[in-house]
Amino acid sequence: MGTNGAAYAAAARRSLRVTLAAGAGFYLFLYGFGQSVAATYALFAAVALAGLSRIPGTGRQRAAVLLRLLPAAWLLVVVGTFLAVRTWSAVAGMLVIGFALAFVAAGGPRPAGAAPGLQLLYILPSFPPYAPDTLGERLVGTTTGILLLVIAEALVLPDPPTVPYRELAARAAVTAERCAGELARAPYELSPAAGAAATAAAMALRPSKVPEAERPAGPGVRSRGLAHAGLAARTLLNRLGRLPAPPPGRAPTEAGLGLLRAVGRSAADSAALLRGVSGAGTADSGPGRERALLAAAPAAGAPPAELRLRADLLELADAALALSTAAGLAVRGREAVPGMPIGRFWYAGMRAPELWWRRLVGHAGSRSVFFQNAVRISLALAAARAVAGLATLPHGFWAMLATLTLTRTTLDATRSGIRQAVAGTLIGALCTAGVIALVGTHTTVYAAVLLPLLMFTFTVGPVKGVGWAQALFAPTVALVFAQLAPATWRLAEVRLLDVLVGSAIGAVFGLLAWPRGAQQEVRRSGVVLLRSAAEAVVTTTAAVAAGGVRDPDAPPEHGSLRHALVLAESAFAQLQSEPGAGKGESPEVDWQAVLLTGHHALWGADRVLLAPAPVRGPAAPVLVPPLEPEAAAALTRLGDRVAGRMLLLSAVLDPIGGNGKAPDAPLGSGGASEAVPAGAPGGYYAADAWLEALLAELERITGRGPQRAGH
């Protein structure tokens, strides 16, 4: 089946569920019980949460979300009913509630997808007539419509299953286990098939390749842990692909082979834990596993080749430990915290309300696209409600519906949508006028045509675009209202006027309130992250060269890098939370690789500075001597080179002044590798391996490096 065929099939399944739920509730109350108010709310509740909303996931996943939304729907109907007493109170309520519903989209793809439908559940009761005496009927209709939709989502034409992100991370961990096992056997290098499998497993973890419902973009411990498990799995695969083969005729040391086997066991245990295998991750984890992995590496004082191998192997061990910790957090949440090294997982011990608060506070500023969208849509809806109330706009509900559906996150998208919507509404209005003029007050005809038209509208509209949607929705809504009260052809004229008013309001606020999309903020925060990482690289290499006291219980703060990483993760999460986010992701820039580079810069800096600390016995401060002048100079040059590449890439990607495209030449390939100074200690090799790995990861950002795992 082609792309269009699959899109129509998915739209038809959803349309059938909407039609069954909306039609059953509408006909039951209107013709079964003679309750027009309950019929209206039953129909629009189903249409709002399945037609207007785009809650990602399978039918059963959406059904579970809808059940959790039921109390919120009741609250919105109650508040909207009582605030309709005055125009100013309805406008104030629209401003506050509109902002809150749009801003809660910061919680992930599902809240973001449900927000438009919830907006409609407030808009509908906030219009005249002010009739608090019908509140019971409104709540019964709303409840019935949502419950019918829950049944339809769960039972009618279930969607094809998707692969959960946990399973994708588990598959990557299994692939890492196989790669580690292959590297521990002669000829001690990855075969082309293993390298291709590692590349595919790493690429599958890119959020742009993952269905919206499976993207770990929520603020909770498990969601954050799963996101970090994906990053750690990609990192581990990348480092396994970069591990150099031993010189011809020489086998790796037994200690090195032991570490590779330990990495494989750790990856296998992480995969089992992610897949929910009973008892997985309960043994040989946390600090005990960390000491075992590090102790398996060649000791300091060995020949230079073994010291360099030790540094490369420690990179592997670090990624395996990160994957193990993140997998525990993804599966067990806060229960996984005791005994775990959580310094890099700052959120691990926090409760859900605190993490939600941090997420919302982090977005409470003009740099957040969620904040921008919330301000834009709340002001536009409040303005539409004010115009409808003060100008006594007939059927002003349609004007607000047009504002809600046509206000986009970018000005260009808003302009394009409005042009198509007005053209579609004009065509729909002409069709509506003709139908009403021909049929008149014969409601039986309207009742017979409504369900097929509703089915056709929600099948074709989402695939063909906003113009078709408006052209079909106009007569559909007219058929509904024609059954509730006598209608004339002038109903089509009113519908066209309302859409024009709503479109104009949407265009004005789309122009005035941050007329840019989420991609811009992701780019800006990614640039800040690269610059902060460059600063950490320079300070870390300087500290390694200068020596000094290393206290494992007081690791370096790197406050600016940590802050930049949190902001970049939030920006990336908000991009992935927006419907169709994968389509907006630049094909030339791997933004998850930018996050991976930031994590590696932070985690690697901590590990490099603490590398001389013992892995057995109590952690105590260690006095590390400075490097010899030749080694210090070589390491400083390499650090400056890495930082320079980061700054160059940040300048290219900068939304202010940069062209936003990948550079024509590879960033990490310029210049030869530094010659290894004679007598350099193990700390030099650890820092050198970290810096070389960062250079390789910079190539992954633009996709211009060598094709290894994760590119």
Side-chain angles (χ1 to χ4, degrees), residues 144-250:
T144 303
I146 294 177
L147 291 180
L148 287 172
L149 183 59
V150 168
I151 296 172
E153 291 283 12
L155 302 179
V156 178
L157 295 181
D159 294 311
T162 58
V163 181
Y165 197 81
R166 267 178 61 172
E167 174 60 23
L168 293 175
R171 292 177 184 179
V174 170
T175 304
E177 177 200 8
R178 293 170 181 166
C179 290
E182 195 166 301
L183 289 169
R185 300 188 302 267
Y188 308 110
E189 61 181 352
L190 290 183
S191 64
T199 299
M203 283 295 294
L205 289 169
R206 288 188 63 175
S208 60
K209 309 291 185 184
V210 180
E212 284 181 53
E214 303 299 340
R215 295 172 190 164
V221 171
R222 285 182 170 84
S223 183
R224 292 179 188 268
L226 188 54
H228 281 175
L231 286 171
R234 283 191 69 182
T235 302
L236 180 57
L237 289 169
N238 293 335
R239 294 178 188 176
L240 287 166
R242 292 183 60 251
L243 191 68
R250 288 190 59 187

Side-chain angles (χ1 to χ4, degrees), residues 488-564:
T488 67
W489 66 269
R490 299 190 68 88
L491 184 65
E493 178 186 2
V494 171
R495 162 76 177 167
L496 180 60
L497 173 64
D498 287 338
V499 170
L500 289 174
V501 171
S503 300
I505 293 172
V508 168
F509 285 95
L511 172 65
L512 297 180
W514 301 287
R516 296 174 293 181
Q519 183 72 27
Q520 187 89 345
E521 187 59 30
V522 170
R523 189 177 297 277
R524 190 199 69 83
S525 61
V527 166
V528 173
L529 177 59
L530 287 172
R531 291 171 181 169
S532 300
E535 177 187 344
V537 165
V538 172
T539 57
T540 301
T541 52
V544 172
V549 177
R550 306 284 191 261
D551 186 355
D553 292 329
E557 290 294 332
H558 300 298
S560 60
L561 178 55
R562 291 181 186 275
H563 181 65

Side-chain angles (χ1 to χ4, degrees), residues 75-125:
L75 178 63
L76 292 171
V77 172
V78 170
V79 172
T81 297
F82 286 104
L83 290 183
V85 61
R86 297 284 188 274
T87 296
W88 69 264
S89 61
V91 171
M94 189 72 263
L95 189 65
V96 174
I97 293 175
F99 178 88
L101 291 176
F103 192 55
V104 81
R110 289 191 176 98
L118 293 175
Q119 300 273 19
L120 186 59
L121 291 182
Y122 170 80
I123 291 172
L124 184 62

